[in-house]
Each structure stands twice: as C-alpha cells, then as structure tokens.
Amino acid sequence: MDENDWLAERFEANRADLRAVAYRMLGSLSEADDAVQEAWLRLSRSDTSDVNNLSAWLTTVVGRVCLDMLRSRRSRREDPLDVYVPDPVVSRADGIEPEQEALLADSVGLALLVVLDTLAPAERLAFVLHDMFAVPFDDIAAIVGRTPTAARQLASRARRRVQGSATVPEADLSRQREVVDAFLAASRGGDFDALVAVLDPDVLLRADYGTVPLGVSKRVRGAQAVASQALLFSKFARFAKPALVNGAAGLVTAPDGKPLAVMAFTVTDGRIVEIDILADPERLRRLDLAFLDD
C-alpha cells in the first residue's frame, strides 16, 4: 500500500467522526460534508510525516475549516434570518441508521443546535471541540489564534449560554412518542383543548420556511398560540408519519410522498416544550428521506 492509499484508508476510518464534528459546528449536513471534503484535500496536500496522531490532526483541520465557514456565513448575513432551524437528521421511527450514529452521539437535538447557532464562531468552536470531543485547549488556541486561557474562557462563556438556554429532553423515547402521538391525534381531530393539554404553558414553536415567501417563517410562544398554529396544520396532519428527528420522537409530513415538513419535538415532564419545524422546500429536497417510500 503506497502512502496515498494509506492516508485515504485512515481518512475514511475517521470520516464519520469528522462529519459529526462538522455537523455540530455548522448545523448543516451539506456544509458538514463540504468541510470534511476540504479536510481530505488539505490532508492529501500536506506532509504528515511528523504527525503522531492523525485523528487529532484531522479534527483540528475540520475545526479550522468550519470556523472559516461560520465567519463567512456571518459576513454574508447582513440581515440574519429571524427564524432558522438547523438541518435535521431524520431516521425511521424504529431506529437510527448505523451511518447516523456518530452524527447523533451525545444527544445532539435540534434544540441544542439552535442554541449553538447563537454563539460567536470562536465560542462555538471552543465549546464543540472541548466539551463534545475533548480537544485540549492548547490545540483550540492554535485554531482561533488566542492563548489557551482565552480559549478556555471562550468555551466557558459558550457553556453558560448553552446551559442557560438548552432544554433537557425526556430520556424515555417511548414516553416522548406517547406525547407526540397525542399531539398528532389532537391535530388530526382539530381538538384545541387536547392540544393545549400536551403543550407546556411556555412552549416555543419555530417554523423555518426559508427565505421565500418572506414573512412565512415564524416564532410562536405559549400553549394557546401554538395550539392555534397546530390547528392550521390539521389538514396536513393525516399525511404525517412518525420518525426519529435527531434521535428524538418527531414527525415527517409528506403528502403523496413529497416532504412538506420535518417536525422535531422536545418533550420534558410529559409535555412538549419546543417544536422545531423545517419546511424550507430547498433544504428538504437535500435530506435523505428515502424511508418515506417504504
């Protein structure tokens, strides 16, 4: 085996973990794939003869690529989207596909990714690499161009933000499913009171329809307001199928097999506290939803 073949083999052995890093950094499956591909290009052009830990080297390269992409994303968004739901990882209701397991390790739900998207790029990198992948602060400091102490402070600020904002979901998947099924039954039946009963009083709904048409995407808070929105969904509810969305109970709505929306639910203490809806047609087309045809 020549050196290029050896490098390619080692890279493929790390691909799933590198994609998991990039997904947490970017919240976008397509951009995560682009970041991993860029890491391969950099590896193929680099002299790695003095690299003792190739996995760690690749992780820092992906981190650097993602940091550049986040900074570029911020500079392009002069008017940030008011509502943005990250790309969901959608699986069949009966289990996560093996190739998705690394993506969803550590219970990376959509609600957490929404919080990560509010962090400054350097904060997000420090938190993701250190808290989720145990990368030393010395290595993180080299990526962000700061001292290890400053890198530690970046992660600390991000950690406080995450702990103060991210909702801890119900651990029991079967209990999640019961609550989401009750929500779906109430939506199908147009039962406003039953909807309110499964919603936390301070429930938050985010609906991302993309940039066109303007004004359709929305953020709604409160059980009665969210229940009213759910009643608008009732005419499509009969097309909804149970699914796992980032490892949690969710729904995919697909009239005639054409994806209309992916809904992620955060369930706590038997009630729905957050609903994240991706209904952006362009981004839905890029998701792997082949299981809908089964």
Side-chain angles (χ1 to χ4, degrees):
M1 182 182 294
D2 64 24
E3 184 178 359
N4 284 338
D5 289 339
W6 180 83
L7 283 176
E9 185 177 284
R10 290 293 306 280
F11 182 82
E12 287 304 318
N14 284 276
R15 179 184 288 275
D17 290 336
L18 297 175
R19 192 167 182 248
V21 172
Y23 178 57
R24 287 155 178 74
M25 283 289 299
L26 300 167
S28 165
L29 293 167
S30 60
E31 289 184 358
D33 288 335
D34 290 344
V36 172
Q37 182 60 26
E38 177 61 24
W40 162 246
L41 293 175
R42 295 191 186 189
L43 173 63
S44 64
R45 295 194 298 257
S46 299
D47 178 6
T48 58
S49 57
D50 60 345
V51 174
N52 296 320
N53 186 334
L54 186 61
S55 295
W57 186 89
L58 286 169
T59 298
T60 57
V61 169
V62 166
R64 185 172 287 112
V65 171
C66 290
L67 181 63
D68 290 342
M69 293 173 75
L70 285 174
R71 287 170 170 167
S72 175
R73 181 192 292 175
R74 286 218 163 188
S75 67
R76 292 196 309 269
R77 284 188 190 170
E78 294 180 3
D79 298 311
L81 297 175
D82 184 51
V83 179
Y84 178 78
V85 173
D87 285 355
V89 179
V90 187
S91 316
R92 300 169 63 98
D94 56 3
I96 298 170
E97 300 297 328
E99 62 270 20
Q100 297 176 333
E101 289 178 355
L103 275 178
L104 299 177
D106 304 317
S107 300
V108 182
L110 277 192
L112 174 59
L113 289 174
V114 168
V115 177
L116 293 181
D117 207 45
T118 66
L119 302 176
E123 290 176 345
R124 185 169 187 168
L125 179 135
F127 176 79
V128 168
L129 291 190
H130 181 266
D131 285 41
M132 294 184 172
F133 295 95
V135 175
F137 284 119
D138 285 353
D139 294 348
I140 295 171
I143 298 173
V144 298
R146 306 191 189 187
T147 65
T149 299
R152 185 185 299 273
Q153 291 171 344
L154 287 171
S156 179
R157 284 201 300 270
R159 193 178 307 117
R160 288 196 298 270
R161 186 83 164 269
V162 169
Q163 291 173 347
S165 302
T167 305
V168 179
E170 182 92 39
D172 186 341
L173 182 57
S174 62
R175 181 59 182 143
Q176 291 182 29
R177 185 81 268 159
E178 289 176 8
V179 175
V180 173
D181 286 348
F183 172 89
L184 180 58
S187 296
R188 286 173 171 168
D191 191 333
F192 183 84
D193 291 337
L195 281 167
V196 171
V198 298
L199 297 172
D200 183 85
D202 200 37
V203 61
L204 174 63
L205 178 146
R206 303 180 192 89
D208 180 352
Y209 288 84
T211 56
V212 178
L214 294 175
V216 175
S217 296
K218 63 188 67 179
R219 182 184 284 104
V220 179
R221 185 177 290 279
Q224 299 215 2
V226 171
S228 296
Q229 291 296 314
L231 290 181
L232 297 177
F233 163 73
S234 62
K235 64 181 178 180
F236 299 108
R238 65 190 180 93
F239 300 108
K241 291 186 177 183
L244 291 179
V245 181
N246 285 58
L251 298 170
V252 177
T253 305
D256 300 321
K258 298 176 181 178
L260 182 69
V262 173
M263 303 178 70
F265 297 82
T266 304
V267 176
T268 301
D269 296 330
R271 289 190 174 185
I272 296 167
V273 295
E274 290 189 27
I275 304 174
D276 290 291
I277 302 174
L278 178 63
D280 180 341
E282 181 178 347
R283 291 170 60 205
L284 286 172
R285 281 195 293 270
R286 297 200 295 262
L287 296 181
D288 182 7
L289 299 175
F291 69 88
L292 293 173
D293 299 326
D294 295 347

